[in-house]
Amino acid sequence: MTAGPAEDTRTRLLRTALRLFTEHGVEGTSLQMIADALGITKAAVYYHFKTKAEITEAVAEPGIRDLDELVRRAAAQRRRGAQVDLLLEGFVDLVIRHRALVALFSSDPGIARAIEKSAHGGTEDFGRVLLGILSGPDPDTTARVNALVAVTGIAMAGGSPDLAALGDDELRAELLDVGRRLLGRPRRRTPVSAF
Amino acid sequence: MTAGPAEDTRTRLLRTALRLFTEHGVEGTSLQMIADALGITKAAVYYHFKTKAEITEAVAEPGIRDLDELVRRAAAQRRRGAQVDLLLEGFVDLVIRHRALVALFSSDPGIARAIEKSAHGGTEDFGRVLLGILSGPDPDTTARVNALVAVTGIAMAGGSPDLAALGDDELRAELLDVGRRLLGRPRRRTPVSAF
């Protein structure tokens, strides 16, 4: 990965696309709008991405890669308690690291649809594995509901404009706390500096 | 309200529109698709609704009306505990009564956007009042996070395809239970027959 001007434009382009997707929805954002917001020509956008689908994929890619890696790491733990703790802490961390993207995923099926059609394809599978670990083996209804409420509630609250003014550390502590309560995990002092 | 054949077509039309919205998104559903699915002409659709926005509004109307009434009833209670209990029970009941609509609201900003532009306008306000009651007066961060996770988690879990096979009574009991835990309300035996 080189840090030349080409990469800079690409990075700016993806950041701008995410902002426009958030404001207008994926389906309500055109390549022309992205070009206009950056003050570049549509041809300059085409130099980096041929279609809006390619941009959408590239916008979502860092979050999906982190989620993929997290689920793999968690699944490799031996004890269920360690799996759940690692997954919960990692998921909260991911939600905070990718706040704007999570807010978009929580509110716009356009991005989920774009990813489904892409080579990544497997976001639904990550979701299943993640819920499967959190709800445990042979889960009863209560365990399934708790896992679903934890995952969707943490994602929705983490991406909510209502909490946008909260600092990362405070939001992380709150989301971890509510997640542990929902999943029946012991509350513990999280070394904030470890993140 | 008369129960003539005109009303029957209207009711079928709205049910079909909700199904198509769920499958293709509000923005991915055309009047022609609705007409085709009903086996009627587009002109017959126009007889009832002039635009897709009118259909979207009419699809959402029963849920919005119920939410509006619920928030008013809760706000009129004197004690905060009674407000929270009434709101939580009513919200869970509403999520279950309008499962398909809630799933659509949880996953498609197209419907929220359509409503925002409509005469109803105030869904955001209902949301604020609802969260305001659940998080209490002068809420600290924890109270705000708990209320957000409760409302979004209950709505998302209630509308989730993962729990679509659960019966209404079982889902209601589970969602009430998780909501009470999040909001610090005592667990109580809910007379199922009262719903």
Side-chain angles (χ1 to χ4, degrees):
Chain A
M1 217 188 275
T2 57
E7 200 212 20
D8 288 353
T9 304
R10 190 179 186 277
T11 305
R12 280 202 309 137
L13 199 157
L14 293 179
R15 194 166 42 233
T16 301
L18 177 54
R19 180 172 59 75
L20 292 172
F21 289 168
T22 303
E23 285 168 21
H24 308 285
V26 172
E27 276 149 17
T29 302
S30 66
L31 291 187
Q32 188 63 59
M33 287 161 75
I34 296 172
D36 289 348
L38 284 164
I40 63 178
T41 63
K42 210 165 149 185
V45 174
Y46 277 126
Y47 174 78
H48 295 278
F49 299 99
K50 294 299 163 238
T51 62
K52 194 171 71 178
E54 281 185 25
I55 298 181
T56 312
E57 243 186 274
V59 163
E61 210 273 333
I64 295 191
R65 196 183 44 214
D66 284 359
L67 184 59
D68 184 24
E69 195 195 311
L70 172 65
V71 169
R72 277 174 219 274
R73 274 200 301 140
Q77 301 292 313
R78 292 195 176 205
R79 290 183 307 105
R80 174 168 146 66
Q83 286 189 335
V84 172
D85 289 342
L86 192 147
L87 204 49
L88 178 61
E89 285 168 33
F91 186 65
V92 167
D93 211 32
L94 185 152
V95 164
I96 289 180
R97 204 179 319 128
H98 301 287
R99 271 194 198 194
L101 183 61
V102 167
L104 185 63
F105 260 101
S106 306
S107 67
D108 192 340
I111 191 159
R113 270 199 284 269
I115 304 305
E116 269 165 38
K117 289 179 197 148
S118 82
H120 276 298
T123 45
E124 184 140 346
D125 291 339
F126 298 153
R128 302 245 155 261
V129 177
L130 192 145
L131 285 171
I133 292 175
L134 292 183
S135 56
D138 288 324
D140 60 11
T141 306
T142 303
R144 289 166 62 210
V145 169
N146 285 342
L148 255 175
V149 171
V151 169
T152 59
I154 286 172
M156 298 288 286
S160 167
D162 288 359
L163 301 178
L166 279 192
D168 285 355
D169 288 347
E170 190 177 3
L171 183 57
R172 180 186 289 113
E174 293 291 346
L175 294 180
L176 269 177
D177 201 43
V178 74
R180 284 182 185 134
R181 252 191 314 144
L182 282 169
L183 298 168
R185 298 297 303 158
R187 193 169 169 178
R188 54 177 181 170
R189 218 179 288 261
T190 306
V192 172
S193 60
F195 285 98
Chain B
M1 215 188 275
T2 56
E7 198 210 21
D8 287 354
T9 304
R10 190 180 187 277
T11 306
R12 281 202 310 139
L13 199 156
L14 293 179
R15 194 165 43 233
T16 302
L18 177 54
R19 180 171 59 75
L20 291 173
F21 289 167
T22 303
E23 286 169 21
H24 308 285
V26 172
E27 277 149 17
T29 302
S30 65
L31 291 186
Q32 188 63 60
M33 286 162 74
I34 296 172
D36 289 347
L38 284 163
I40 64 178
T41 63
K42 210 164 148 186
V45 174
Y46 277 127
Y47 174 78
H48 295 277
F49 300 99
K50 294 298 165 239
T51 61
K52 194 171 70 178
E54 281 185 24
I55 298 181
T56 312
E57 242 186 274
V59 163
E61 209 272 333
I64 294 190
R65 196 183 44 213
D66 283 359
L67 184 58
D68 184 23
E69 195 195 311
L70 172 64
V71 168
R72 277 174 218 275
R73 273 200 300 142
Q77 301 291 314
R78 294 199 174 200
R79 291 182 310 105
R80 174 167 146 66
Q83 286 189 335
V84 173
D85 289 342
L86 193 147
L87 205 48
L88 178 61
E89 286 168 33
F91 186 66
V92 167
D93 210 33
L94 186 153
V95 164
I96 289 180
R97 203 178 322 129
H98 301 288
R99 271 195 198 195
L101 183 62
V102 167
L104 185 63
F105 259 101
S106 306
S107 68
D108 192 341
I111 191 160
R113 270 199 284 270
I115 304 306
E116 268 164 37
K117 289 178 197 149
S118 82
H120 275 298
T123 45
E124 185 139 348
D125 291 339
F126 297 153
R128 302 245 154 263
V129 177
L130 191 145
L131 285 171
I133 292 175
L134 293 183
S135 56
D138 288 324
D140 60 11
T141 307
T142 303
R144 288 166 63 210
V145 169
N146 285 342
L148 255 175
V149 171
V151 169
T152 59
I154 286 172
M156 297 288 286
S160 167
D162 288 0
L163 301 179
L166 279 191
D168 285 355
D169 287 346
E170 190 177 5
L171 183 58
R172 179 185 292 114
E174 294 290 346
L175 294 180
L176 270 177
D177 200 43
V178 74
R180 284 182 187 135
R181 255 191 312 144
L182 282 169
L183 298 169
R185 297 299 303 161
R187 192 169 171 178
R188 54 176 181 171
R189 218 180 288 261
T190 305
V192 171
S193 60
F195 285 97

